[in-house]
Amino acid sequence: MARIPLPLRGLRARLVAAFVLVAVVSALSTGALAFREARTGVLQQSQDSVIKQFRKSVESAAPNISATPDQSELQAAVNRVLYDNPSQGWRVMATYGSLRTWAPSAEFQELSPDLRRTVATTSATVFQRVNVDGRPWLVVGTPITYDSAKGKSRLSGTAMYLVVSQDAEEGYVQAMVSGIERATVVALALAVVLALLAAGGVLRPVRALGRATRRMAEGHLDVRLAVNGSDELAELSQSFNDTAAALERSVAELRRMEARARRFAADVSHELRTPLTAMAALTDVLDENALRHDRETGDALRLISEGTTRLSALVEDLMEISRFDAGVIRLNLDEVDLAESVRRTLAARGWQDQVETHLPAPGAVRTRVDPRRLDVVMANLVGNALRHGAPPVRLTMRVREEGADVAWAVIEVTDSGPGIAEGAMPHIFERFYKAGASRARSESSGLGLAITAENVHLHGGRISASNLPGGGAAFTVELPLRRESPAPDHNAFAGAR
């Protein structure tokens, strides 16, 4: 299943998001504090100014109000207060007991019962901010008092109330909110610009590090980064350069050691080849005369002959591996009939009656391969199955299509033996690896499957090993069918032998 990319997976996106988040939080926090302080200051100043002016006007009108005022005295006091403040937009009401007078209108729904009770029981001026029908109002109530003989204030029972709109103040507050919003937008835009600049400064060395890492992974161990400044990114670049230099030295040393080892194996194999050839010729002569000697001498000669043969095969395998390592192997390609080539491999070694084959008819599957190396591949796989497996040993070949232009010849060799141990499966194609203790003492050199895999890979093919569900091992070789080859006949197969 394809992985769904996360929206903030990139470093640039995360940096921009972080900058924007910090800018938003800072702007909102600063704006909220500034709004609260400014709103409080505007409302407080307006409130204090209105209350002060109202009290002054009431004190000016109070001397003309008797202890038991009538309707006309209360109306005169209301008119006096409004006369002193003609352009304020005030609504004033005076009360005494059940008497009520007002101007310019009788609408005083903003006046709450709680405020009226407070004014009736205290000698202080009280106020309240209320919101009616979505509009803000300031309501002020002040009692008219008289000084008693003891120097204390005495309530007269007369009270005056003021209701004034605070739309202007609310407009100032809204203007502040709009200003804060504009400032926030500017801060966000500035934060995005700064984030992009900062991200660019951070991402340039990071991207350079990524490119250098990819080049190193491709084998360019001499890659280095430019170190600018003394910050953490510069330290990271320097650490990368130090690591790359150490890795380059280590790999160079390993390559020198590997080259020496390959030369040593090739030289030893070459030096052993000549005396082994002479020894093989000598053992052939001795084998011919083995019947003329006594039993002990004959057994000794046979042991010498077998050891010489095994040593010669090991030297040949070592020389072949050395050629693979040196990269001097070249394929001698020829268009062949794969099924016929496999039949020749079995016939040359006398395995026709030991191997059950399921092969296409002659000429059905043709492709370009190196016949000698294909023979080595099939001989190693079938020989291993015969030596280490159990009958019946089967060899099958089929064609698998992968699209209109891609096809593979699939060759499978199976046996009915105990199979391959699970722990040995990952190492089965490694050099000198033997799957068990019994095989460690066998005539195998441990190079056969490694050489087989190298030959298959040279042809652009694939090789794999597995265990069959019912027991036994299976080795599968897949070879590409070249375009020069005629289209295979999928239905033309020979019967089982």
Side-chain angles (χ1 to χ4, degrees):
M1 181 181 295
R3 295 183 63 184
I4 301 175
L6 297 178
L8 293 181
R9 177 168 292 177
L11 182 57
R12 180 188 295 273
R14 291 200 296 269
L15 284 173
V16 172
F19 269 81
V20 170
L21 180 62
V22 170
V24 168
V25 172
S26 301
L28 292 180
S29 300
T30 304
L33 292 174
F35 170 74
R36 188 182 68 179
E37 295 298 325
R39 181 176 184 274
T40 301
V42 169
L43 295 179
Q44 188 71 39
Q45 182 179 6
S46 172
Q47 169 187 296
D48 292 346
S49 176
V50 169
I51 293 174
K52 182 179 179 181
Q53 187 67 26
F54 180 62
R55 289 182 62 180
K56 182 178 179 180
S57 299
V58 170
E59 289 174 357
S60 176
N64 298 321
I65 301 174
S66 63
T68 56
D70 56 14
Q71 189 81 18
S72 61
E73 289 184 37
L74 293 178
Q75 188 65 53
V78 169
N79 293 336
R80 177 63 183 270
V81 171
L82 290 177
Y83 179 80
D84 291 341
N85 303 276
S87 61
Q88 302 295 329
W90 290 4
R91 284 184 282 135
V92 180
M93 182 175 70
T95 66
Y96 178 76
S98 60
L99 295 178
R100 302 283 186 275
T101 61
W102 54 78
S105 67
E107 296 179 0
F108 283 87
Q109 67 269 27
E110 300 87 358
L111 187 59
S112 66
D114 290 339
L115 187 138
R116 295 183 63 180
R117 282 193 297 268
T118 303
V119 171
T121 58
T122 183
S123 60
T125 299
V126 296
F127 68 91
Q128 186 178 29
R129 287 197 294 266
V130 297
N131 196 292
V132 178
D133 297 331
R135 295 184 61 189
W137 300 89
L138 176 65
V139 181
V140 184
T142 181
I144 295 178
T145 62
Y146 296 106
D147 293 334
S148 65
K150 297 181 179 181
K152 293 183 179 181
S153 297
R154 179 175 58 85
L155 294 175
S156 66
T158 302
M160 299 193 71
Y161 298 93
L162 167 67
V163 176
V164 60
S165 172
Q166 289 196 308
D167 288 339
E169 289 77 6
E170 189 68 22
Y172 296 148
V173 172
Q174 291 300 324
M176 285 190 295
V177 171
S178 299
I180 292 172
E181 290 176 350
R182 289 192 294 270
T184 302
V185 172
V186 173
L188 288 179
L190 183 60
V192 171
V193 173
L194 292 177
L196 292 175
L197 294 176
V202 172
L203 289 177
R204 275 193 296 273
V206 172
R207 287 172 176 166
L209 178 61
R211 289 192 296 269
T213 304
R214 287 192 294 272
R215 285 182 54 80
M216 182 178 290
E218 294 169 357
H220 303 281
L221 301 181
D222 58 341
V223 64
R224 297 293 185 270
L225 293 175
V227 180
N228 299 315
S230 58
D231 55 7
E232 289 80 0
L233 291 174
E235 292 179 2
L236 179 61
S237 300
Q238 186 60 50
S239 299
F240 175 85
N241 291 342
D242 296 340
T243 303
L247 182 61
E248 185 179 21
R249 290 192 297 269
S250 299
V251 171
E253 181 62 26
L254 288 174
R255 287 174 177 171
R256 285 194 295 270
M257 294 173 63
E258 183 181 4
R260 287 197 297 268
R262 285 200 301 266
R263 286 197 301 270
F264 176 76
D267 293 344
V268 170
S269 300
H270 182 75
E271 294 298 327
L272 287 176
R273 193 173 190 181
T274 301
L276 280 175
T277 302
M279 291 175 63
L282 179 60
T283 54
D284 289 342
V285 174
L286 292 176
D287 285 341
E288 294 176 357
N289 298 322
L291 297 177
R292 302 178 183 178
H293 299 283
D294 54 58
R295 181 178 177 180
E296 293 182 356
T297 303
D299 291 342
L301 291 176
R302 279 192 295 273
L303 288 175
I304 293 174
S305 178
E306 292 173 0
T308 302
T309 301
R310 289 177 56 190
L311 188 57
S312 298
L314 175 60
V315 169
E316 290 297 331
D317 288 345
L318 286 173
M319 293 186 68
E320 185 75 352
I321 286 293
S322 298
R323 286 191 285 269
F324 280 120
D325 290 339
V328 298
I329 298 294
R330 294 293 180 269
L331 294 177
N332 297 314
L333 297 176
D334 190 13
E335 185 166 340
V336 301
D337 181 346
L338 288 182
E340 185 60 30
S341 179
V342 170
R343 290 189 183 96
R344 284 197 298 268
T345 297
L346 299 179
R349 292 161 179 82
W351 292 339
Q352 305 97 312
D353 298 330
Q354 302 178 53
V355 179
E356 180 181 317
T357 60
H358 297 265
L359 301 174
V365 181
R366 299 181 65 85
T367 188
R368 291 176 59 80
V369 295
D370 187 326
R372 185 182 72 83
R373 297 192 177 278
L374 178 62
D375 177 76
V376 171
V377 169
M378 300 315 303
N380 275 333
L381 295 182
V382 174
N384 276 349
L386 292 172
R387 284 193 301 271
H388 306 296
V393 174
R394 298 182 178 88
L395 191 154
T396 61
M397 182 185 298
R398 58 187 174 85
V399 174
R400 187 180 74 250
E401 297 282 354
E402 291 185 1
D405 300 327
V406 181
W408 296 81
V410 182
I411 306 171
E412 189 173 48
V413 178
T414 63
D415 63 67
S416 303
I420 304 171
E422 291 300 324
M425 192 68 72
H427 312 286
I428 198 69
F429 294 108
E430 294 180 2
R431 299 175 183 182
F432 299 106
Y433 183 80
K434 296 185 179 182
S438 60
R439 292 193 59 185
R441 296 186 295 271
S442 70
E443 63 182 17
S444 172
S445 65
L447 293 173
L449 288 178
I451 293 174
T452 298
E454 293 283 359
N455 281 317
V456 172
H457 296 155
L458 277 177
H459 286 85
R462 303 185 289 253
I463 186 170
S464 61
S466 62
N467 285 319
L468 299 175
F475 287 85
T476 304
V477 174
E478 298 174 279
L479 296 175
L481 295 179
R482 311 292 178 181
R483 293 185 177 181
E484 300 89 350
S485 305
D489 184 355
H490 297 270
N491 298 318
F493 284 85
R497 292 193 53 188

